[in-house]
């Protein structure tokens, strides 16, 4: 077997081979630790980084060529992984359904979480559909108890009008995740609770799912 | 001119009476415009009014604003918008005074004076550039600051969402607008019509959002209460106001301890129902 210097030795060969194996194992372990450390760092993204990642995706989506309908799929694919990774979809699902959540089976909860993620992604992909110099600027971070944080950002439109974006971010087992966003003080989660609650009251859970699917379809066709 | 003004001044005198009546009926309100406390006993009528407003918007207002936006160059549209925003600004100042908010009264008066003079009758907005930011107020917020309950939610034809305690805002808005002092009547009418179209054009994006909602009625009602709540808590952009107050986030915290691994969300029978 070859040593590091390229020589081959008869009696010492097994020992040399063992040393090399050790080196390979150590290298592999070191690489594993490095990869794990990188993954941990990714999951441990600070609240500001979580929001920045979303904003970067939204700006990229806005820069996609094509009108509301033509660029939709591309924008959807840009935004989708960020929504999945950076939003606490199970918690959002539960909060928007309120008391109805208790009545759902596990399967219904899972399917609702999936459709919720698609609905949120579709909303971002259809609304952030053109770029004319818009930008997000981080303004402040404020702790809200031990496990929640509010990250405030300013959105400047192409015409210079500004809007205040407040993200409510919560720390769970898989790091900081966005639970809610309020634009100029209007909480998206509250709006959804109100809307969904009204639909549930009139049409039940299945009716809500049908309406969500319909709306997702409309957005995909370019109806913002 | 003077007759009209006098008439409106008489009508505005009912403001205190109406608000006192609301106070007597409802008592004091600890959390004004909180979504959990939305009272909508007239919902069937409100929904009918809402549908009427929506149809009116689709068939009349939207086509008119589209033509207006198409034929008006953006800078002129902005100038017109500025002019009417400034003309309506004494209404904001009146509410500042009624709220006994001296700082805001001075700031808003300064803004009105600067924009009316340097801003050439309000066509331009130099006040924002010197730090006198646009403020928003209405009598509903003023009444809440006085400790009066907002009363039931109402949807009025053309005017949209209100609460009982905010109704005096309608005459207050009219009597504080300098346009009311202009003659002749037709000129005043034309100006008011232009102002209405400009204002409608400005709200286009909000109207679009309402129409796209899964339940436009519930969406607008929630948005109205949240907006009023925000104005009540502090309207200035630099005021640190958390917009997340009404959310029951604490309800989903695992009860034993914060350090324990968070379990999968489980239903709680006493979780508040969605806002009604």
């Amino acid at each position: 077997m070859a040593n590091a210097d390229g020589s081959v030795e008869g009696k010492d060969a097994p020992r040399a081979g063992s040393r090399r194996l050790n080196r390979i194992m150590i290298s592999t372990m070191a690489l594993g630790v490095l990869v794990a450390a990188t993954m941990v760092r990714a999951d441990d993204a600070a609240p500001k980084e979580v929001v920045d990642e979303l904003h970067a995706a939204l700006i990229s989506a806005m820069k996609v060529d094509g009108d509301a309908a033509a660029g939709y799929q591309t924008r959807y694919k840009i935004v989708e992984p960020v929504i999945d990774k950076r939003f606490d979809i199970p918690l959002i699902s539960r909060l928007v359904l309120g008391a109805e959540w208790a009545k759902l089976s596990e399967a219904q909860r899972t399917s609702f979480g999936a459709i919720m993620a698609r609905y949120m992604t579709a909303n971002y992909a259809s609304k952030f559909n053109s770029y004319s110099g818009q930008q997000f600027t981080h303004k402040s971070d404020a702790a809200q108890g031990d496990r929640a944080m509010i990250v405030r950002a300013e959105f400047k439109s192409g015409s210079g009008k500004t809007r205040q974006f407040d993200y409510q971010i919560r720390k769970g087992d898989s790091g900081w995740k966005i639970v809610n966003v309020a634009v100029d003080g209007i909480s998206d989660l509250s709006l959804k609770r109100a809307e969904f609650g009204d639909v549930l009251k009139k049409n039940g859970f299945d009716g809500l799912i049908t309406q969500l699917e319909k709306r997702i379809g409309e957005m995909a066709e370019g109806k913002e | 001119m003077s007759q009209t003004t006098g008439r409106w001044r008489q009508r505005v005198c009912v403001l205190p009476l109406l608000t006192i009546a609301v106070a007597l009926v409802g008592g004091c309100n600890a959390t004004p415009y909180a979504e959990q406390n939305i009272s909508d006993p007239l919902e069937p009528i409100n929904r009918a009014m809402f549908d009427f407003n929506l149809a009116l918007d689709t068939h009349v207002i939207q086509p008119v604003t589209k033509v207006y936006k198409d034929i008006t160059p953006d800078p002129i549209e902005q100038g017109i918008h500025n002019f009417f925003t400034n003309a309506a600004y004494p209404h904001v100042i009146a509410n500042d005074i009624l709220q006994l908010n001296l700082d805001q009264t001075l700031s808003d008066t300064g803004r009105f004076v600067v924009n009316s003079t340097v801003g050439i009758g309000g066509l331009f907005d130099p006040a924002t550039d010197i730090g006198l930011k646009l403020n928003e107020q209405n009598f509903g917020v003023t009444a809440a600051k006085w400790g009066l309950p907002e009363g039931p939610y109402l949807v009025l034809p053309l005017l949209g969402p209100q609460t009982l305690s905010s109704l005096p805002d309608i005459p207050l808005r009219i009597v504080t607008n300098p346009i009311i002092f202009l003659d002749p009547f037709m000129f005043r009418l034309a100006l008011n019509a232009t102002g209405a179209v400009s204002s409608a054009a400005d709200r286009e994006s909000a109207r679009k959002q309402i129409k796209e909602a899964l339940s436009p009625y519930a969406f607008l009602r929630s948005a109205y209460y949240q907006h009023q709540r925000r104005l009540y808590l502090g309207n200035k952009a630099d005021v640190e106001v958390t917009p997340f107050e009404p959310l029951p986030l604490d309800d989903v915290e695992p009860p034993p301890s914060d350090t324990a691994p968070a379990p999968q969300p489980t239903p709680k029978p006493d979780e508040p129902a969605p806002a009604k």
Side-chain angles (χ1 to χ4, degrees):
Chain A
M1 193 163 287
N3 273 338
D5 59 2
S7 64
V8 177
E9 296 169 28
K11 196 176 172 184
D12 291 340
R15 196 180 299 166
S18 169
R19 275 204 301 271
R20 184 161 300 126
L21 192 63
N22 283 346
R23 270 187 222 143
I24 290 169
M25 281 177 68
I26 290 166
S27 304
T28 309
M29 282 169 68
L31 189 67
V33 168
L34 194 69
V35 169
T38 310
M39 286 170 70
V40 167
R41 199 161 58 236
D43 284 343
D44 276 353
K48 178 189 175 297
E49 291 167 344
V50 169
V51 171
D52 284 348
E53 191 178 330
L54 173 68
H55 288 163
L58 294 178
I59 294 288
S60 298
M62 282 191 273
K63 288 179 177 172
V64 168
D65 286 335
D67 61 15
Y72 175 84
Q73 290 303 336
T74 314
R75 291 195 299 274
Y76 190 98
K77 280 178 187 149
I78 292 172
V79 177
E80 187 181 25
V82 182
I83 303 279
D84 285 345
K85 187 177 173 190
R86 297 304 187 195
F87 280 76
D88 193 340
I89 304 290
L91 180 55
I92 292 170
S93 302
R94 182 184 165 179
L95 286 171
V96 296
L97 287 185
E100 185 72 14
W101 181 263
K103 301 173 194 163
L104 301 182
S105 67
E106 269 310 313
Q108 282 177 314
R109 289 175 184 178
T110 307
S111 73
F112 183 76
I115 200 168
M116 205 46 219
R118 284 171 50 221
Y119 180 64
M120 288 165 60
T121 309
N123 264 298
Y124 277 114
S126 70
K127 288 192 169 67
F128 289 81
N129 63 10
S130 66
Y131 185 73
S132 54
Q134 295 96 322
Q135 57 186 40
F136 288 99
T137 312
H138 173 260
K139 302 301 271 187
S140 63
D141 294 330
Q144 196 188 35
D146 296 337
R147 298 176 62 187
M149 195 99 175
I150 293 177
V151 176
R152 178 168 289 182
E154 186 181 84
F155 175 73
K156 189 178 258 186
S157 73
S159 63
K161 282 186 183 169
T162 57
R163 303 195 113 185
Q164 183 180 296
F165 278 54
D166 287 294
Y167 291 90
Q168 191 172 31
I169 305 187
R170 203 166 159 275
K171 190 165 195 177
D173 289 345
S174 49
W176 291 96
K177 293 206 171 193
I178 300 169
V179 179
N180 191 11
V181 53
V183 180
D184 286 340
I186 307 289
S187 148
D188 186 55
L189 207 50
S190 289
L191 288 176
K192 284 195 172 73
R193 278 170 72 88
E195 282 182 77
F196 290 18
D198 198 44
V199 175
L200 284 167
K201 203 164 64 181
K202 278 193 281 188
N203 305 325
F205 181 73
D206 292 340
L208 175 63
I209 296 290
T210 307
Q211 257 190 272
L212 283 168
E213 288 287 8
K214 183 175 168 234
R215 186 71 198 113
I216 291 169
E218 286 171 352
M219 287 189 273
E221 288 166 12
K223 296 175 190 169
E224 289 174 41
Chain B
M1 176 182 81
S2 57
Q3 270 186 344
T4 315
T5 313
R7 226 171 23 242
W8 280 113
R9 279 187 180 147
Q10 282 175 352
R11 285 180 194 176
V12 87
C13 287
V14 304
L15 292 179
L17 294 175
L18 190 57
T19 45
I20 289 165
V22 171
L24 290 173
V25 170
C28 212
N29 189 3
T31 50
Y33 291 104
E35 278 202 286
Q36 301 92 314
N37 304 333
I38 291 178
S39 160
D40 192 359
L42 304 173
E43 190 170 331
I45 301 168
N46 285 340
R47 280 189 188 266
M49 280 300 135
F50 177 81
D51 291 343
F52 169 77
N53 286 345
L54 213 57
L56 192 73
D57 182 80
T58 305
H59 300 296
V60 181
I61 296 170
Q62 208 172 312
V64 172
T65 53
K66 187 178 182 316
V67 172
Y68 169 78
K69 285 180 91 71
D70 286 349
I71 62 169
T72 317
D74 283 351
I76 293 177
E77 194 184 317
Q78 185 62 48
I80 292 171
H81 168 76
N82 289 345
F83 172 80
F84 286 104
T85 304
N86 189 61
Y89 218 63
H91 165 258
V92 174
I93 299 167
N95 276 294
D96 292 337
I97 295 167
L98 290 170
Q99 291 173 23
L100 304 177
N101 187 340
L102 183 62
D103 288 349
Q104 200 60 55
T105 303
L106 291 174
S107 165
D108 286 334
T109 306
R111 181 184 163 84
F112 181 66
V113 170
V114 169
N115 279 353
S116 302
T117 52
V118 184
I120 314 173
L123 288 172
F124 300 95
D125 179 18
T128 297
D129 298 333
I130 59 169
L132 297 169
K133 290 177 184 167
L134 179 71
N135 185 19
E136 188 185 344
Q137 280 301 341
N138 60 63
F139 190 80
V141 176
T142 299
K145 294 219 170 183
W146 289 354
L148 302 177
E150 58 259 22
Y153 177 67
L154 305 168
V155 181
L156 302 186
L158 284 169
L159 297 172
Q162 301 278 337
T163 53
L164 185 60
S165 70
S166 73
L167 286 182
D169 196 59
I170 300 164
L172 185 64
R173 216 172 262 278
I174 295 169
V175 296
T176 52
N177 196 318
I179 291 175
I180 199 175
F181 298 106
L182 297 175
D183 269 337
F185 172 75
M186 288 310 287
F187 177 60
R188 193 162 69 231
L189 188 69
L191 261 185
N192 278 324
T194 311
V197 173
S198 167
S199 168
D202 193 49
R203 292 196 303 267
E204 195 174 75
S205 141
R207 290 205 310 273
K208 197 161 172 288
Q209 272 188 291
I210 294 166
K211 288 179 182 174
E212 287 166 357
L214 293 189
S215 165
Y217 178 82
F219 179 94
L220 179 60
R221 187 176 56 187
S222 169
Y224 171 76
Y225 272 81
Q226 287 193 62
H227 183 64
Q228 288 289 91
R229 176 93 183 131
R230 188 182 188 226
L231 293 182
Y232 172 80
L233 290 173
N235 186 47
K236 286 187 290 183
D238 56 348
V239 171
E240 290 292 326
V241 172
T242 169
F244 303 109
E245 206 175 21
L247 293 181
L249 258 188
D250 291 341
D251 287 2
V252 296
E253 293 288 351
S257 82
D258 274 351
T259 50
Q264 283 295 94
T266 48
K268 284 179 70 172
D270 57 342
E271 185 168 16
K276 287 181 182 173

